[in-house]
Amino acid sequence: MNLRIPGPTPCPPEVLSALGTQMVDHRGPEFAAVLERVSSGLKRAFRTENDVLVMTCAGTGGLETAVVNTLSPGERVLSVSIGEFGKRFAAIAETYGAAVTRLEFEHGQAAAATRVDEALANDPSLTTVLLTHNETSTGVTNPLRELAGVVRRHGKLLLVDAVSSMGSMPCEVDAWGLDVVVSGSQKGWMVPPGLAFVSFSPRAWQAYERSQMPRFYLDAGKARESAAKGQTPWTPAVSLFYGMDVALEMLEREGWESVFLRHQRCADVARQGVRSLGLELFADPRFASNTVTTVRAPQGVSVSDLRKALRERHGIVLAGGQGPMTGKVFRIGHLGLVSEAEVQAVIAALAVELPRLGFVAPVGVSRSPA
Ligand code: PLP
């Protein structure tokens, strides 16, 4: 199967075999050594001296960790949203009683720094900003460095969803001044779902001291205290730590710059290939994501029929649209374990299936993929 969804990504054989390693005492020295290697590898990947906590939960649990450890009920928060995951981050904060002001941008667009600046200037009672680095539902990467600069100038706390970007494209926690940053194992890390990685800056720890949100399982202070003893507060997903240990070693061997370039090349193949078929890209090209390419539904073709044909006749699995974009787009995931050849195979299969399903490319478009 060529699994081309934006996570879970396929896992390398080395990771799969590490997952089958026998259990150890999660309060003993073997696990402490794995935790230490994984945490320090993550700090290098996040480009930070901050603590990076490894939580046993989905990426959404990582977002919840960011919220419950820094905010208090009634606290005023600005949610900058460019799609479904931005909305989810806001919903979590609201669920725990934060007073959320929403600044939403049209699907397919990135957030405009000037609008964020205005929103923060207009309401000095806002304490915190929620931002998505890479919006997986639309295939848009926000200009995080620029946006973070605005948030920093206003002196607000910045919580970042980097679930589908960290480890696949540049994301510099310390240099860009990001306070809490979240990622998830099933994305660029090439590990099965189940671990969330959450970095906390010194400012975020100060917010933790003030924060009045209810929390237990996701208490970052407990995680930090346990980590200092080489443990986690609760029984961790030990096997996933084994997988992460191996995956980080593989990614570092490849080199982070090479990993980022590989993602960029795969994204280029996806974007050029899609256009060569006469299809339309959904995202503003200036902000098109290097981990997921969103394509408008081909004229006259149902997205579910297209996905079914690719799955059944080519062994290729693509993602559909989420929320309001269901049926309007399909998405090609190219993150984690991915090569240009695998993305090229998607384009070649689309070139076969689109005409079979009745799609007629606009005049002037050659039918052969680039
Ligand atoms: N945020 C983004 C940008 C994501 O892409 C995802 C997962 O697709 C999540 C959050 C949520 O992660 P999970 O599905 O692991 O809870």
Side-chain angles (χ1 to χ4, degrees), residues 304-322:
S304 56
D305 289 351
L306 179 61
R307 290 176 59 219
K308 185 165 187 277
L310 289 169
R311 176 194 281 271
E312 290 177 359
R313 292 167 43 85
H314 303 267
I316 291 173
V317 183
L318 301 186
Q322 276 172 283

Side-chain angles (χ1 to χ4, degrees), residues 6 58-60 63 85 88 132 134 136 161 163-164 186-187:
T60 305
L63 299 180
F85 288 106
R88 183 181 299 183
T132 316
N134 185 75
T136 320
D161 173 347
V163 170
S164 63
Q186 79 275 26
K187 305 288 184 178

Side-chain angles (χ1 to χ4, degrees), residues 9-131:
T9 84
C11 303
E14 294 89 331
V15 169
L16 293 178
S17 69
L19 297 173
T21 308
Q22 185 56 275
M23 286 301 104
V24 290
D25 173 10
H26 63 295
R27 308 264 174 236
E30 298 92 346
F31 183 78
V34 176
L35 178 61
E36 163 54 28
R37 282 196 299 276
V38 168
S39 306
S40 49
L42 282 167
K43 283 172 72 152
R44 291 190 292 274
F46 276 51
R47 307 271 293 167
T48 189
E49 296 297 320
N50 294 342
D51 299 296
V52 182
L53 305 174
V54 185
M55 319 288 286
T56 292
C57 60
T60 305
L63 299 180
E64 196 154 325
T65 300
V67 165
V68 300
N69 287 287
T70 58
L71 301 175
S72 298
E75 191 162 346
R76 299 189 48 81
V77 171
L78 179 68
S79 145
V80 179
S81 165
I82 61 168
E84 295 309 295
F85 288 106
K87 287 185 197 160
R88 183 181 299 183
F89 209 175
I92 295 168
E94 210 154 57
T95 300
Y96 280 94
V100 177
T101 298
R102 287 179 167 75
L103 178 59
E104 293 190 347
F105 293 85
E106 196 187 328
H107 282 46
Q109 295 299 317
T114 47
R115 302 259 319 273
V116 176
D117 191 26
E118 250 169 50
L120 291 174
N122 287 342
D123 187 352
S125 68
L126 293 163
T127 67
T128 304
V129 177
L130 312 181
L131 255 184

